[in-house]
Amino acid sequence: MSEEQNEQKKSNQFTIMKDDPIDGHPGYSGGGAFSLENMSPLIVDPNEDHVWVDMGAMHARSEVEKRIKFVADKEEVPNGKPYWIVWVTVEQKEEGPYYHGVAACYLEVDREARRGYKILAEHVNRMDKSLKGRIILEHMDDHSKALLRDFLKDFNEQYWDLASDELKQVLA
């Protein structure tokens, strides 16, 4: 690859937009631009009883996903270890910031085989649902829900206290 092609490839990388770059520009409607600055991806590892923030997940490059070839057929990953990527959106209301949208996606990873199972469309759709304030956690196992609940409470008690009753009930 030539130096010029390499530079062009680097300049075409995805960028999260903090502010509206076309704000006030008469030639653009602003459609299709949205902010991800209030969203954080959490990784829930039920086998290790561990939850952490991994911003790499925003680009499918979390520690769990790195160096893994993902397939859409679960049968191709017979020794997969389960994980959840949970998209958490924080918004502001009069009383203060709170957990607005929380949506989980399942994946399995077999580190040894360097193979994993996930449905990419589900991850994109759940990110969108989280941004829109939806709570989609019903499909998580009880142990993973408890880990998530404890992490969210410990991370910021005010966010938890101001969160919707729906979130608290789903994670009860």
Side-chain angles (χ1 to χ4, degrees):
M1 184 178 293
S2 75
E3 180 79 25
E4 186 178 315
Q5 288 173 321
N6 197 23
E7 286 300 315
Q8 185 177 5
K9 185 178 177 183
K10 285 182 185 177
S11 69
N12 289 333
Q13 292 179 358
F14 180 76
T15 303
I16 295 174
M17 298 174 353
K18 182 174 176 166
D19 297 313
D20 187 357
I22 54 177
D23 187 32
H25 190 286
Y28 295 99
S29 66
F34 56 91
S35 172
L36 298 176
E37 69 180 352
N38 294 339
M39 177 181 278
S40 296
L42 303 180
I43 308 295
V44 178
D45 181 346
N47 288 317
E48 300 294 327
D49 294 336
H50 186 53
V51 180
W52 69 95
V53 176
D54 191 334
M55 293 308 288
M58 296 293 274
H59 305 286
R61 286 190 169 53
S62 68
E63 281 304 312
V64 172
E65 297 167 293
K66 282 183 182 175
R67 296 171 293 284
I68 300 295
K69 179 181 186 216
F70 282 96
V71 295
D73 182 3
K74 204 172 181 178
E75 300 298 317
E76 291 183 47
V77 190
N79 301 315
K81 181 179 168 185
Y83 293 92
W84 296 93
I85 296 181
V86 183
W87 305 103
V88 180
T89 303
V90 175
E91 288 291 340
Q92 181 79 26
K93 59 182 171 182
E94 233 176 82
E95 299 89 345
Y98 67 103
Y99 296 122
H100 175 67
V102 184
C105 305
Y106 182 75
L107 66 147
E108 284 186 19
V109 174
D110 182 344
R111 281 251 161 254
E112 221 172 89
R114 297 177 70 174
R115 279 245 193 265
Y117 161 79
K118 76 175 177 178
I119 306 296
L120 183 59
E122 178 185 64
H123 286 252
V124 173
N125 288 333
R126 298 281 163 85
M127 282 177 77
D128 180 60
K129 300 293 187 197
S130 175
L131 284 169
K132 293 176 178 172
R134 299 277 311 277
I135 308 298
I136 304 175
L137 303 170
E138 301 80 19
H139 56 296
M140 289 181 81
D141 60 279
D142 290 339
H143 179 64
S144 296
K145 283 182 186 180
L147 291 169
L148 177 61
R149 178 192 63 236
D150 293 345
F151 180 87
L152 292 174
K153 280 182 173 181
D154 292 344
F155 183 78
N156 191 307
E157 201 167 336
Q158 178 189 5
Y159 291 7
W160 177 259
D161 290 343
L162 294 175
S164 70
D165 290 338
E166 179 186 3
L167 176 63
K168 294 172 188 171
Q169 287 169 0
V170 169
L171 292 178

